[in-house]
Amino acid sequence: MKGLLDGRVVIVTGAARGIGQAYALALAEHGAKVAVADLLDPAETVNKINASHPESAIGIAVDVANYASCEAMVQKTLDAFGSVTGLINNAALFGVSAKQKGVQMRPFTQIPEEDWDLTMAINVKGPWNCCKAVVPHMMEKRYGKIVNISSQTIGMGTPMILDYVTSKGAVATMARCLARELGPYGIRVNALTPGFTQSQAVKDLMGSIGGAGDAMTAQYAAQACLGRPQVPEDLVGTAVYLMSELSDFVTGQLLNVDGGQSHTGM
Ligand SMILES: NC(=O)c1ccc[n+]([C@@H]2O[C@H](COP(=O)([O-])OP(=O)(O)OC[C@H]3O[C@@H](n4cnc5c(N)ncnc54)[C@H](O)[C@@H]3O)[C@@H](O)[C@H]2O)c1
C-alpha cells in the first residue's frame, strides 16, 4: 500500500524522546525517511523505527543553538537519503535531561539572565538556525515543509515560565513571517501549538511541584472538550498531515491541537 509520506525525508529535531519521538515514529509509519536529531542519544528512536521499517531512520547528534551543527545535520541527512523534504523544529529547552536542567517555574523577575539567554538560544535561534541550514536545499527543489513547534501556552499567557512562553511566541511568529518569505519558493511554513501534553518532561515538571502539579494536570484535562489528558500520540496526525501533500495549500498558519482545552478555557 502506498504511504502518505513515501519518498519524503523529514528531519525531526529533539526526537530522541518525548513528543519528538512520537512524531518521528508516526512519520516513518507513513513512509517517510526520518533524521532523528537531538542533543541526547537518538538511538532509542532510531532503533524503534528501523526495527519495523528497515533503513528508514538515521540518528544525528546536533545542538540546534549552533549553526555549524545544524548545517552538518542537514548534510548528513542529504548524504543518507539524498534530499530533505521536511523539517520539524521540535527541539527545545523544556524537560530535564542528563544535559539540561529544563524549564523552571518562577516569577519573571527571578529568571537569571543566563537562563533567559539559553532558552532563547535553543528555542528561538535553534529553529532559525535549522531553517537557514535546510532552506537552500528546499529552494533548489522548489518544495519544502517546515513546522515550528510552538505551544498553546502562548494563547493562555501561562504565568511563571515567561522565558519559555516568550520563546514559543517567537517561533509562531517566525513561522508566519517565513511563510511569506518562502512561499514563492514552494516552501510551506506552519506552527503547531500542542496543549498540555503528558510527555515524560511534563510528568517530571509536574512531579517537581507535588500536589499542585496533580491539580494542574486534572484541571487541564477537565477543561478540554474531549475531557481527558493529552498524550504525545494526539499530536502526530497533525504533524503527518503538515508533512504531506494534503496540506500543500496550508502555510503561515497556527494549528492548535489540544482536545479543545483552549476553546473552553480561554
Ligand atoms: N509537553 C507539553 O505539554 C508541550 C506543550 C506544548 C509544546 N511542547 C513542545 O513540544 C516539544 C517537545 O516537548 P516534550 O514534552 O517532548 O519535551 P522534551 O524535553 O522531552 O523534548 C525536547 C527535546 O529537545 C531536545 N533538545 C533540547 N535542547 C536541544 C538542543 N540544543 N539541540 C538539540 N536538541 C535539543 C531534548 O534533548 C529533548 O529530546 C518542545 O518544543 C516543547 O516546547 C510541549
mmCIF file of all heavy atoms in Angstrom, residues 13-21 23 37-40 62-66 89-97 100 122-123 149-153 164 168 192-202 232 235, ligand 1:
data_model
loop_
_atom_site.group_PDB
_atom_site.id
_atom_site.type_symbol
_atom_site.label_atom_id
_atom_site.label_comp_id
_atom_site.label_asym_id
_atom_site.label_seq_id
_atom_site.Cartn_x
_atom_site.Cartn_y
_atom_site.Cartn_z
ATOM 1 N N THR A 13 13.921 17.541 14.912
ATOM 2 C CA THR A 13 14.875 17.865 15.981
ATOM 3 C C THR A 13 14.232 17.551 17.337
ATOM 4 O O THR A 13 12.999 17.586 17.478
ATOM 5 C CB THR A 13 15.309 19.344 15.929
ATOM 6 O OG1 THR A 13 14.186 20.189 16.209
ATOM 7 C CG2 THR A 13 15.898 19.706 14.573
ATOM 8 N N GLY A 14 15.083 17.221 18.296
ATOM 9 C CA GLY A 14 14.560 16.882 19.631
ATOM 10 C C GLY A 14 13.736 15.604 19.612
ATOM 11 O O GLY A 14 12.761 15.479 20.338
ATOM 12 N N ALA A 15 14.157 14.644 18.792
ATOM 13 C CA ALA A 15 13.336 13.430 18.592
ATOM 14 C C ALA A 15 13.895 12.210 19.327
ATOM 15 O O ALA A 15 13.449 11.092 19.101
ATOM 16 C CB ALA A 15 13.209 13.131 17.103
ATOM 17 N N ALA A 16 14.845 12.417 20.241
ATOM 18 C CA ALA A 16 15.388 11.273 20.990
ATOM 19 C C ALA A 16 14.365 10.708 21.961
ATOM 20 O O ALA A 16 14.451 9.556 22.382
ATOM 21 C CB ALA A 16 16.645 11.695 21.755
ATOM 22 N N ARG A 17 13.387 11.540 22.326
ATOM 23 C CA ARG A 17 12.412 11.110 23.345
ATOM 24 C C ARG A 17 11.146 11.960 23.202
ATOM 25 O O ARG A 17 11.063 12.844 22.342
ATOM 26 C CB ARG A 17 13.006 11.281 24.741
ATOM 27 C CG ARG A 17 13.236 12.743 25.087
ATOM 28 C CD ARG A 17 13.795 12.952 26.472
ATOM 29 N NE ARG A 17 13.604 14.343 26.881
ATOM 30 C CZ ARG A 17 13.984 14.846 28.044
ATOM 31 N NH1 ARG A 17 14.600 14.081 28.917
ATOM 32 N NH2 ARG A 17 13.748 16.104 28.337
ATOM 33 N N GLY A 18 10.175 11.681 24.050
ATOM 34 C CA GLY A 18 9.012 12.552 24.200
ATOM 35 C C GLY A 18 8.180 12.717 22.938
ATOM 36 O O GLY A 18 8.027 11.791 22.136
ATOM 37 N N ILE A 19 7.643 13.915 22.765
ATOM 38 C CA ILE A 19 6.742 14.175 21.637
ATOM 39 C C ILE A 19 7.506 14.074 20.321
ATOM 40 O O ILE A 19 6.965 13.603 19.311
ATOM 41 C CB ILE A 19 6.070 15.567 21.777
ATOM 42 C CG1 ILE A 19 5.335 15.688 23.114
ATOM 43 C CG2 ILE A 19 5.076 15.787 20.639
ATOM 44 C CD1 ILE A 19 4.777 17.084 23.404
ATOM 45 N N GLY A 20 8.764 14.510 20.317
ATOM 46 C CA GLY A 20 9.576 14.413 19.096
ATOM 47 C C GLY A 20 9.714 12.978 18.640
ATOM 48 O O GLY A 20 9.646 12.681 17.432
ATOM 49 N N GLN A 21 9.900 12.071 19.581
ATOM 50 C CA GLN A 21 9.981 10.651 19.222
ATOM 51 C C GLN A 21 8.655 10.187 18.602
ATOM 52 O O GLN A 21 8.640 9.449 17.617
ATOM 53 C CB GLN A 21 10.312 9.794 20.447
ATOM 54 C CG GLN A 21 10.446 8.332 20.097
ATOM 55 C CD GLN A 21 10.834 7.471 21.297
ATOM 56 O OE1 GLN A 21 9.964 7.056 22.065
ATOM 57 N NE2 GLN A 21 12.111 7.204 21.454
ATOM 58 N N TYR A 23 6.500 11.991 16.943
ATOM 59 C CA TYR A 23 6.423 12.493 15.554
ATOM 60 C C TYR A 23 7.252 11.589 14.635
ATOM 61 O O TYR A 23 6.798 11.196 13.557
ATOM 62 C CB TYR A 23 7.004 13.911 15.429
ATOM 63 C CG TYR A 23 6.284 15.021 16.148
ATOM 64 C CD1 TYR A 23 6.998 16.007 16.839
ATOM 65 C CD2 TYR A 23 4.891 15.135 16.119
ATOM 66 C CE1 TYR A 23 6.354 17.051 17.488
ATOM 67 C CE2 TYR A 23 4.242 16.180 16.775
ATOM 68 C CZ TYR A 23 4.980 17.128 17.462
ATOM 69 O OH TYR A 23 4.344 18.167 18.106
ATOM 70 N N ALA A 37 17.258 13.895 15.178
ATOM 71 C CA ALA A 37 18.356 14.771 15.603
ATOM 72 C C ALA A 37 18.117 15.268 17.023
ATOM 73 O O ALA A 37 17.019 15.723 17.348
ATOM 74 C CB ALA A 37 18.448 15.956 14.639
ATOM 75 N N ASP A 38 19.144 15.172 17.842
ATOM 76 C CA ASP A 38 18.965 15.581 19.249
ATOM 77 C C ASP A 38 20.315 15.799 19.910
ATOM 78 O O ASP A 38 21.335 15.278 19.452
ATOM 79 C CB ASP A 38 18.181 14.500 20.018
ATOM 80 C CG ASP A 38 17.413 15.048 21.210
ATOM 81 O OD1 ASP A 38 18.037 15.645 22.117
ATOM 82 O OD2 ASP A 38 16.178 14.883 21.255
ATOM 83 N N LEU A 39 20.273 16.556 21.004
ATOM 84 C CA LEU A 39 21.425 16.718 21.895
ATOM 85 C C LEU A 39 21.658 15.404 22.642
ATOM 86 O O LEU A 39 22.785 15.047 22.974
ATOM 87 C CB LEU A 39 21.076 17.828 22.899
ATOM 88 C CG LEU A 39 22.117 18.674 23.581
ATOM 89 C CD1 LEU A 39 23.034 19.346 22.585
ATOM 90 C CD2 LEU A 39 21.411 19.733 24.438
ATOM 91 N N LEU A 40 20.565 14.687 22.931
ATOM 92 C CA LEU A 40 20.636 13.388 23.610
ATOM 93 C C LEU A 40 20.852 12.289 22.575
ATOM 94 O O LEU A 40 20.613 12.494 21.374
ATOM 95 C CB LEU A 40 19.331 13.119 24.368
ATOM 96 C CG LEU A 40 18.996 14.083 25.515
ATOM 97 C CD1 LEU A 40 17.589 13.794 26.051
ATOM 98 C CD2 LEU A 40 20.035 13.983 26.634
ATOM 99 N N VAL A 62 23.057 16.707 17.366
ATOM 100 C CA VAL A 62 23.003 18.124 16.968
ATOM 101 C C VAL A 62 22.783 19.008 18.188
ATOM 102 O O VAL A 62 22.126 18.591 19.153
ATOM 103 C CB VAL A 62 21.861 18.362 15.928
ATOM 104 C CG1 VAL A 62 20.477 18.242 16.563
ATOM 105 C CG2 VAL A 62 21.983 19.743 15.277
ATOM 106 N N ASP A 63 23.339 20.191 18.128
ATOM 107 C CA ASP A 63 22.967 21.247 19.073
ATOM 108 C C ASP A 63 22.354 22.346 18.223
ATOM 109 O O ASP A 63 23.071 23.048 17.495
ATOM 110 C CB ASP A 63 24.200 21.756 19.829
ATOM 111 C CG ASP A 63 23.846 22.922 20.751
ATOM 112 O OD1 ASP A 63 22.660 23.324 20.798
ATOM 113 O OD2 ASP A 63 24.756 23.438 21.418
ATOM 114 N N VAL A 64 21.038 22.488 18.290
ATOM 115 C CA VAL A 64 20.368 23.438 17.384
ATOM 116 C C VAL A 64 20.784 24.886 17.636
ATOM 117 O O VAL A 64 20.598 25.741 16.772
ATOM 118 C CB VAL A 64 18.817 23.312 17.425
ATOM 119 C CG1 VAL A 64 18.362 21.960 16.933
ATOM 120 C CG2 VAL A 64 18.270 23.634 18.815
ATOM 121 N N ALA A 65 21.352 25.152 18.817
ATOM 122 C CA ALA A 65 21.797 26.522 19.111
ATOM 123 C C ALA A 65 23.064 26.886 18.338
ATOM 124 O O ALA A 65 23.469 28.046 18.317
ATOM 125 C CB ALA A 65 22.034 26.686 20.613
ATOM 126 N N ASN A 66 23.672 25.881 17.702
ATOM 127 C CA ASN A 66 24.938 26.082 16.994
ATOM 128 C C ASN A 66 24.715 25.897 15.483
ATOM 129 O O ASN A 66 24.354 24.810 15.033
ATOM 130 C CB ASN A 66 25.940 25.051 17.536
ATOM 131 C CG ASN A 66 27.282 25.140 16.854
ATOM 132 O OD1 ASN A 66 27.387 24.982 15.643
ATOM 133 N ND2 ASN A 66 28.307 25.378 17.632
ATOM 134 N N ASN A 89 10.790 21.578 13.660
ATOM 135 C CA ASN A 89 11.590 22.242 14.688
ATOM 136 C C ASN A 89 10.953 21.991 16.049
ATOM 137 O O ASN A 89 10.190 22.815 16.566
ATOM 138 C CB ASN A 89 11.655 23.744 14.392
ATOM 139 C CG ASN A 89 12.716 24.086 13.380
ATOM 140 O OD1 ASN A 89 13.837 23.564 13.433
ATOM 141 N ND2 ASN A 89 12.376 24.964 12.448
ATOM 142 N N ASN A 90 11.272 20.826 16.616
ATOM 143 C CA ASN A 90 10.656 20.388 17.873
ATOM 144 C C ASN A 90 11.590 20.560 19.071
ATOM 145 O O ASN A 90 11.130 20.670 20.202
ATOM 146 C CB ASN A 90 10.245 18.915 17.713
ATOM 147 C CG ASN A 90 9.828 18.274 19.024
ATOM 148 O OD1 ASN A 90 8.730 18.503 19.520
ATOM 149 N ND2 ASN A 90 10.724 17.474 19.611
ATOM 150 N N ALA A 91 12.907 20.567 18.822
ATOM 151 C CA ALA A 91 13.864 20.654 19.937
ATOM 152 C C ALA A 91 13.632 21.935 20.719
ATOM 153 O O ALA A 91 13.396 23.002 20.150
ATOM 154 C CB ALA A 91 15.305 20.629 19.411
ATOM 155 N N ALA A 92 13.692 21.808 22.032
ATOM 156 C CA ALA A 92 13.538 22.994 22.880
ATOM 157 C C ALA A 92 14.121 22.721 24.247
ATOM 158 O O ALA A 92 14.177 21.572 24.688
ATOM 159 C CB ALA A 92 12.055 23.358 23.018
ATOM 160 N N LEU A 93 14.505 23.791 24.897
ATOM 161 C CA LEU A 93 14.841 23.674 26.303
ATOM 162 C C LEU A 93 13.510 23.582 27.039
ATOM 163 O O LEU A 93 12.760 24.557 27.136
ATOM 164 C CB LEU A 93 15.631 24.890 26.768
ATOM 165 C CG LEU A 93 16.258 24.754 28.158
ATOM 166 C CD1 LEU A 93 17.560 25.520 28.227
ATOM 167 C CD2 LEU A 93 15.336 25.200 29.257
ATOM 168 N N PHE A 94 13.153 22.385 27.488
ATOM 169 C CA PHE A 94 11.862 22.181 28.137
ATOM 170 C C PHE A 94 11.998 21.203 29.303
ATOM 171 O O PHE A 94 11.987 21.601 30.459
ATOM 172 C CB PHE A 94 10.823 21.698 27.112
ATOM 173 C CG PHE A 94 9.439 21.584 27.689
ATOM 174 C CD1 PHE A 94 8.819 22.674 28.276
ATOM 175 C CD2 PHE A 94 8.747 20.376 27.653
ATOM 176 C CE1 PHE A 94 7.542 22.562 28.831
ATOM 177 C CE2 PHE A 94 7.471 20.262 28.198
ATOM 178 C CZ PHE A 94 6.875 21.357 28.787
ATOM 179 N N GLY A 95 12.179 19.894 28.996
ATOM 180 C CA GLY A 95 12.253 18.913 30.075
ATOM 181 C C GLY A 95 13.657 18.804 30.662
ATOM 182 O O GLY A 95 14.643 19.212 30.060
ATOM 183 N N VAL A 96 13.723 18.223 31.856
ATOM 184 C CA VAL A 96 15.011 17.942 32.495
ATOM 185 C C VAL A 96 15.647 16.755 31.773
ATOM 186 O O VAL A 96 14.958 15.815 31.393
ATOM 187 C CB VAL A 96 14.793 17.554 33.981
ATOM 188 C CG1 VAL A 96 16.116 17.186 34.646
ATOM 189 C CG2 VAL A 96 14.109 18.682 34.740
ATOM 190 N N SER A 97 16.961 16.810 31.549
ATOM 191 C CA SER A 97 17.651 15.656 30.968
ATOM 192 C C SER A 97 19.053 15.587 31.552
ATOM 193 O O SER A 97 19.447 16.454 32.340
ATOM 194 C CB SER A 97 17.731 15.783 29.437
ATOM 195 O OG SER A 97 18.727 16.729 29.075
ATOM 196 N N GLN A 100 20.474 18.894 30.498
ATOM 197 C CA GLN A 100 19.828 20.188 30.760
ATOM 198 C C GLN A 100 19.014 20.165 32.042
ATOM 199 O O GLN A 100 18.391 19.156 32.354
ATOM 200 C CB GLN A 100 18.870 20.538 29.598
ATOM 201 C CG GLN A 100 19.584 20.958 28.339
ATOM 202 C CD GLN A 100 18.662 21.010 27.137
ATOM 203 O OE1 GLN A 100 17.629 20.345 27.109
ATOM 204 N NE2 GLN A 100 19.042 21.773 26.145
ATOM 205 N N ILE A 122 18.324 28.271 22.338
ATOM 206 C CA ILE A 122 17.871 26.947 21.879
ATOM 207 C C ILE A 122 16.490 27.047 21.212
ATOM 208 O O ILE A 122 16.274 26.525 20.113
ATOM 209 C CB ILE A 122 17.817 25.955 23.066
ATOM 210 C CG1 ILE A 122 19.231 25.747 23.626
ATOM 211 C CG2 ILE A 122 17.187 24.628 22.641
ATOM 212 C CD1 ILE A 122 19.290 24.934 24.906
ATOM 213 N N ASN A 123 15.553 27.727 21.872
ATOM 214 C CA ASN A 123 14.148 27.677 21.425
ATOM 215 C C ASN A 123 13.833 28.626 20.274
ATOM 216 O O ASN A 123 12.853 28.416 19.552
ATOM 217 C CB ASN A 123 13.211 27.995 22.597
ATOM 218 C CG ASN A 123 13.286 26.961 23.706
ATOM 219 O OD1 ASN A 123 14.192 26.138 23.734
ATOM 220 N ND2 ASN A 123 12.346 27.006 24.628
ATOM 221 N N ILE A 149 7.421 23.964 16.247
ATOM 222 C CA ILE A 149 6.589 23.550 17.386
ATOM 223 C C ILE A 149 6.563 24.693 18.400
ATOM 224 O O ILE A 149 7.574 25.025 19.033
ATOM 225 C CB ILE A 149 7.115 22.251 18.036
ATOM 226 C CG1 ILE A 149 7.155 21.109 16.996
ATOM 227 C CG2 ILE A 149 6.234 21.892 19.225
ATOM 228 C CD1 ILE A 149 5.825 20.756 16.337
ATOM 229 N N SER A 150 5.392 25.301 18.499
ATOM 230 C CA SER A 150 5.165 26.386 19.449
ATOM 231 C C SER A 150 4.496 25.776 20.687
ATOM 232 O O SER A 150 4.848 24.663 21.096
ATOM 233 C CB SER A 150 4.304 27.452 18.758
ATOM 234 O OG SER A 150 3.932 28.471 19.639
ATOM 235 N N SER A 151 3.519 26.447 21.252
ATOM 236 C CA SER A 151 2.827 25.901 22.421
ATOM 237 C C SER A 151 1.537 26.664 22.639
ATOM 238 O O SER A 151 1.473 27.874 22.400
ATOM 239 C CB SER A 151 3.704 26.039 23.670
ATOM 240 O OG SER A 151 2.944 25.762 24.818
ATOM 241 N N GLN A 152 0.538 25.952 23.133
ATOM 242 C CA GLN A 152 -0.732 26.587 23.449
ATOM 243 C C GLN A 152 -0.584 27.579 24.597
ATOM 244 O O GLN A 152 -1.446 28.436 24.802
ATOM 245 C CB GLN A 152 -1.738 25.468 23.788
ATOM 246 C CG GLN A 152 -3.128 25.885 24.026
ATOM 247 C CD GLN A 152 -3.610 25.250 25.317
ATOM 248 O OE1 GLN A 152 -2.895 25.188 26.305
ATOM 249 N NE2 GLN A 152 -4.824 24.760 25.291
ATOM 250 N N THR A 153 0.533 27.494 25.326
ATOM 251 C CA THR A 153 0.782 28.462 26.412
ATOM 252 C C THR A 153 0.808 29.904 25.895
ATOM 253 O O THR A 153 0.550 30.829 26.652
ATOM 254 C CB THR A 153 2.136 28.189 27.128
ATOM 255 O OG1 THR A 153 3.178 28.187 26.145
ATOM 256 C CG2 THR A 153 2.121 26.875 27.879
ATOM 257 N N TYR A 164 10.206 30.653 28.691
ATOM 258 C CA TYR A 164 9.739 29.587 27.803
ATOM 259 C C TYR A 164 8.576 30.065 26.922
ATOM 260 O O TYR A 164 8.606 29.894 25.694
ATOM 261 C CB TYR A 164 9.315 28.377 28.645
ATOM 262 C CG TYR A 164 8.666 27.285 27.832
ATOM 263 C CD1 TYR A 164 9.429 26.432 27.030
ATOM 264 C CD2 TYR A 164 7.279 27.103 27.836
ATOM 265 C CE1 TYR A 164 8.845 25.439 26.273
ATOM 266 C CE2 TYR A 164 6.682 26.108 27.084
ATOM 267 C CZ TYR A 164 7.464 25.284 26.302
ATOM 268 O OH TYR A 164 6.872 24.297 25.536
ATOM 269 N N LYS A 168 8.250 30.530 22.753
ATOM 270 C CA LYS A 168 7.280 29.807 21.919
ATOM 271 C C LYS A 168 6.415 30.771 21.092
ATOM 272 O O LYS A 168 5.934 30.433 20.012
ATOM 273 C CB LYS A 168 6.416 28.898 22.803
ATOM 274 C CG LYS A 168 7.204 27.714 23.365
ATOM 275 C CD LYS A 168 7.613 26.783 22.242
ATOM 276 C CE LYS A 168 8.637 25.771 22.624
ATOM 277 N NZ LYS A 168 8.989 24.852 21.523
ATOM 278 N N LEU A 192 2.702 24.629 15.023
ATOM 279 C CA LEU A 192 1.774 23.730 15.715
ATOM 280 C C LEU A 192 1.836 24.083 17.200
ATOM 281 O O LEU A 192 2.936 24.198 17.765
ATOM 282 C CB LEU A 192 2.226 22.280 15.454
ATOM 283 C CG LEU A 192 1.580 21.123 16.198
ATOM 284 C CD1 LEU A 192 0.069 21.119 16.016
ATOM 285 C CD2 LEU A 192 2.145 19.805 15.682
ATOM 286 N N THR A 193 0.676 24.289 17.792
ATOM 287 C CA THR A 193 0.650 24.613 19.222
ATOM 288 C C THR A 193 0.023 23.450 19.995
ATOM 289 O O THR A 193 -1.202 23.345 20.082
ATOM 290 C CB THR A 193 -0.135 25.917 19.507
ATOM 291 O OG1 THR A 193 -1.462 25.798 18.970
ATOM 292 C CG2 THR A 193 0.528 27.116 18.880
ATOM 293 N N PRO A 194 0.855 22.577 20.547
ATOM 294 C CA PRO A 194 0.311 21.482 21.363
ATOM 295 C C PRO A 194 -0.243 22.026 22.678
ATOM 296 O O PRO A 194 0.283 22.991 23.238
ATOM 297 C CB PRO A 194 1.532 20.600 21.650
ATOM 298 C CG PRO A 194 2.609 21.060 20.706
ATOM 299 C CD PRO A 194 2.317 22.498 20.432
ATOM 300 N N GLY A 195 -1.304 21.374 23.167
ATOM 301 C CA GLY A 195 -1.773 21.659 24.530
ATOM 302 C C GLY A 195 -0.862 20.986 25.536
ATOM 303 O O GLY A 195 0.214 20.465 25.196
ATOM 304 N N PHE A 196 -1.301 20.991 26.768
ATOM 305 C CA PHE A 196 -0.540 20.419 27.892
ATOM 306 C C PHE A 196 -0.486 18.897 27.716
ATOM 307 O O PHE A 196 -1.487 18.207 27.891
ATOM 308 C CB PHE A 196 -1.289 20.802 29.167
ATOM 309 C CG PHE A 196 -0.628 20.414 30.442
ATOM 310 C CD1 PHE A 196 0.554 21.023 30.838
ATOM 311 C CD2 PHE A 196 -1.209 19.474 31.277
ATOM 312 C CE1 PHE A 196 1.138 20.687 32.043
ATOM 313 C CE2 PHE A 196 -0.625 19.138 32.480
ATOM 314 C CZ PHE A 196 0.551 19.741 32.860
ATOM 315 N N THR A 197 0.687 18.389 27.326
ATOM 316 C CA THR A 197 0.808 17.006 26.850
ATOM 317 C C THR A 197 1.630 16.157 27.815
ATOM 318 O O THR A 197 2.723 16.573 28.229
ATOM 319 C CB THR A 197 1.489 17.010 25.454
ATOM 320 O OG1 THR A 197 0.752 17.888 24.596
ATOM 321 C CG2 THR A 197 1.508 15.624 24.852
ATOM 322 N N GLN A 198 1.118 14.995 28.124
ATOM 323 C CA GLN A 198 1.755 14.138 29.134
ATOM 324 C C GLN A 198 2.992 13.416 28.593
ATOM 325 O O GLN A 198 3.047 12.183 28.530
ATOM 326 C CB GLN A 198 0.732 13.132 29.672
ATOM 327 C CG GLN A 198 -0.442 13.782 30.382
ATOM 328 C CD GLN A 198 -0.006 14.644 31.563
ATOM 329 O OE1 GLN A 198 0.642 14.160 32.487
ATOM 330 N NE2 GLN A 198 -0.320 15.922 31.527
ATOM 331 N N SER A 199 3.984 14.184 28.181
ATOM 332 C CA SER A 199 5.300 13.603 27.865
ATOM 333 C C SER A 199 6.013 13.359 29.192
ATOM 334 O O SER A 199 5.587 13.859 30.245
ATOM 335 C CB SER A 199 6.105 14.578 27.006
ATOM 336 O OG SER A 199 6.350 15.766 27.737
ATOM 337 N N GLN A 200 7.117 12.632 29.145
ATOM 338 C CA GLN A 200 7.884 12.415 30.378
ATOM 339 C C GLN A 200 8.345 13.754 30.954
ATOM 340 O O GLN A 200 8.364 13.944 32.168
ATOM 341 C CB GLN A 200 9.083 11.498 30.092
ATOM 342 C CG GLN A 200 9.763 10.966 31.341
ATOM 343 C CD GLN A 200 8.812 10.220 32.278
ATOM 344 O OE1 GLN A 200 8.085 9.337 31.849
ATOM 345 N NE2 GLN A 200 8.791 10.601 33.564
ATOM 346 N N ALA A 201 8.681 14.693 30.056
ATOM 347 C CA ALA A 201 9.150 16.008 30.514
ATOM 348 C C ALA A 201 8.082 16.706 31.359
ATOM 349 O O ALA A 201 8.387 17.293 32.408
ATOM 350 C CB ALA A 201 9.518 16.871 29.302
ATOM 351 N N VAL A 202 6.837 16.636 30.918
ATOM 352 C CA VAL A 202 5.755 17.279 31.675
ATOM 353 C C VAL A 202 5.491 16.530 32.982
ATOM 354 O O VAL A 202 5.282 17.147 34.034
ATOM 355 C CB VAL A 202 4.468 17.350 30.813
ATOM 356 C CG1 VAL A 202 3.223 17.414 31.661
ATOM 357 C CG2 VAL A 202 4.537 18.596 29.927
ATOM 358 N N PRO A 232 1.304 12.374 23.773
ATOM 359 C CA PRO A 232 2.066 12.701 22.560
ATOM 360 C C PRO A 232 1.406 12.183 21.278
ATOM 361 O O PRO A 232 1.412 12.883 20.249
ATOM 362 C CB PRO A 232 3.422 12.021 22.816
ATOM 363 C CG PRO A 232 3.587 12.100 24.298
ATOM 364 C CD PRO A 232 2.200 11.867 24.856
ATOM 365 N N LEU A 235 -0.811 14.268 18.909
ATOM 366 C CA LEU A 235 -0.258 15.324 18.051
ATOM 367 C C LEU A 235 0.220 14.826 16.699
ATOM 368 O O LEU A 235 0.421 15.619 15.767
ATOM 369 C CB LEU A 235 0.923 15.986 18.773
ATOM 370 C CG LEU A 235 0.509 16.822 19.984
ATOM 371 C CD1 LEU A 235 1.657 16.946 20.973
ATOM 372 C CD2 LEU A 235 0.042 18.200 19.522
HETATM 373 N N1 LIG B 1 4.719 18.567 26.685
HETATM 374 C C1 LIG B 1 3.953 19.637 26.542
HETATM 375 O O1 LIG B 1 2.983 19.859 27.284
HETATM 376 C C2 LIG B 1 4.229 20.613 25.436
HETATM 377 C C3 LIG B 1 3.241 21.571 25.150
HETATM 378 C C4 LIG B 1 3.485 22.490 24.135
HETATM 379 C C5 LIG B 1 4.655 22.432 23.407
HETATM 380 N N2 LIG B 1 5.594 21.491 23.721
HETATM 381 C C6 LIG B 1 6.822 21.477 22.925
HETATM 382 O O2 LIG B 1 6.967 20.199 22.338
HETATM 383 C C7 LIG B 1 8.356 19.908 22.177
HETATM 384 C C8 LIG B 1 8.693 18.572 22.809
HETATM 385 O O3 LIG B 1 8.355 18.619 24.176
HETATM 386 P P1 LIG B 1 8.476 17.342 25.154
HETATM 387 O O4 LIG B 1 7.359 17.471 26.129
HETATM 388 O O5 LIG B 1 8.644 16.096 24.369
HETATM 389 O O6 LIG B 1 9.820 17.723 25.958
HETATM 390 P P2 LIG B 1 11.320 17.159 25.909
HETATM 391 O O7 LIG B 1 12.113 17.992 26.844
HETATM 392 O O8 LIG B 1 11.323 15.688 26.152
HETATM 393 O O9 LIG B 1 11.746 17.415 24.405
HETATM 394 C C9 LIG B 1 12.707 18.350 23.989
HETATM 395 C C10 LIG B 1 13.790 17.629 23.201
HETATM 396 O O10 LIG B 1 14.664 18.621 22.643
HETATM 397 C C11 LIG B 1 15.996 18.197 22.877
HETATM 398 N N3 LIG B 1 16.891 19.361 22.907
HETATM 399 C C12 LIG B 1 16.988 20.295 23.887
HETATM 400 N N4 LIG B 1 17.936 21.187 23.579
HETATM 401 C C13 LIG B 1 18.454 20.817 22.379
HETATM 402 C C14 LIG B 1 19.476 21.355 21.558
HETATM 403 N N5 LIG B 1 20.162 22.452 21.911
HETATM 404 N N6 LIG B 1 19.742 20.734 20.382
HETATM 405 C C15 LIG B 1 19.065 19.611 20.036
HETATM 406 N N7 LIG B 1 18.096 19.047 20.793
HETATM 407 C C16 LIG B 1 17.802 19.653 21.950
HETATM 408 C C17 LIG B 1 15.942 17.489 24.220
HETATM 409 O O11 LIG B 1 17.097 16.668 24.418
HETATM 410 C C18 LIG B 1 14.649 16.707 24.085
HETATM 411 O O12 LIG B 1 14.835 15.458 23.458
HETATM 412 C C19 LIG B 1 9.101 21.100 22.754
HETATM 413 O O13 LIG B 1 9.364 22.032 21.720
HETATM 414 C C20 LIG B 1 8.098 21.702 23.708
HETATM 415 O O14 LIG B 1 8.338 23.076 23.924
HETATM 416 C C21 LIG B 1 5.420 20.594 24.714
#
